[in-house]
């Protein structure tokens, strides 16, 4: 748990300082699902948490949320690659949905 917290804090610092790149797969989901770069940044730097870490691949899955309006939020998953020490690659981002996710933090059953 402490390791995931430290990982997320490092990713947040890099993202806040603009040391990130958004990859094509994330851009495709942005277009298809109707969210934008600011929403991704909000999900990472807000109250998100690392729900899966793949240290052998230097990647993690962050579950966060972003505001559609002042009172309406949506969950957002962001996969980050942290293999470069001073840069974060945002590999993909998507709104978790059934059947792959039964809740924003719990995997569902795939058909």
């Amino acid at each position: 748990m402490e390791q995931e917290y430290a990982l997320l804090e490092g990713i947040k610092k890099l993202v806040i300082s603009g040391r990130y790149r958004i990859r094509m797969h994330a851009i495709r989901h942005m277009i298809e699902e109707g969210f934008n770069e600011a929403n991704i940044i909000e999900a990472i730097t807000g109250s998100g948490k690392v729900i899966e870490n793949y240290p052998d691949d230097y990647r993690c899955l962050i579950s966060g949320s972003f505001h559609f309006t002042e009172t309406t939020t949506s969950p957002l998953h962001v996969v980050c690659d942290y293999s470069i020490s001073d840069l974060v690659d945002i590999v993909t981002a998507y709104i978790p949905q059934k059947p792959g996710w039964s809740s924003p933090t719990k995997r569902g059953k795939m058909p």
Side-chain angles (χ1 to χ4, degrees), residues 5-24:
Y5 178 79
L7 174 61
L8 181 58
E9 288 304 304
I11 290 171
K12 283 182 178 184
K13 286 178 184 176
L14 289 171
V15 168
I16 289 168
S17 67
R19 304 287 306 153
Y20 67 89
R21 300 183 292 199
I22 298 180
R23 299 315 213 170
M24 286 305 296

Side-chain angles (χ1 to χ4, degrees), residues 28-35 68 76 93-97:
R28 186 184 68 136
H29 280 280
M30 288 167 57
I31 293 166
E32 291 174 357
E33 298 178 37
F35 58 90
F68 274 121
L76 189 68
Y94 58 90
I95 296 172
Q97 300 176 40

Side-chain angles (χ1 to χ4, degrees), residues 33-36 39 42 65-76 95:
E33 298 178 37
F35 58 90
N36 60 38
N39 301 140
E42 180 182 355
S65 63
F66 68 92
H67 286 85
F68 274 121
T69 67
E70 279 188 38
T71 58
T72 307
T73 61
S74 173
L76 189 68
I95 296 172

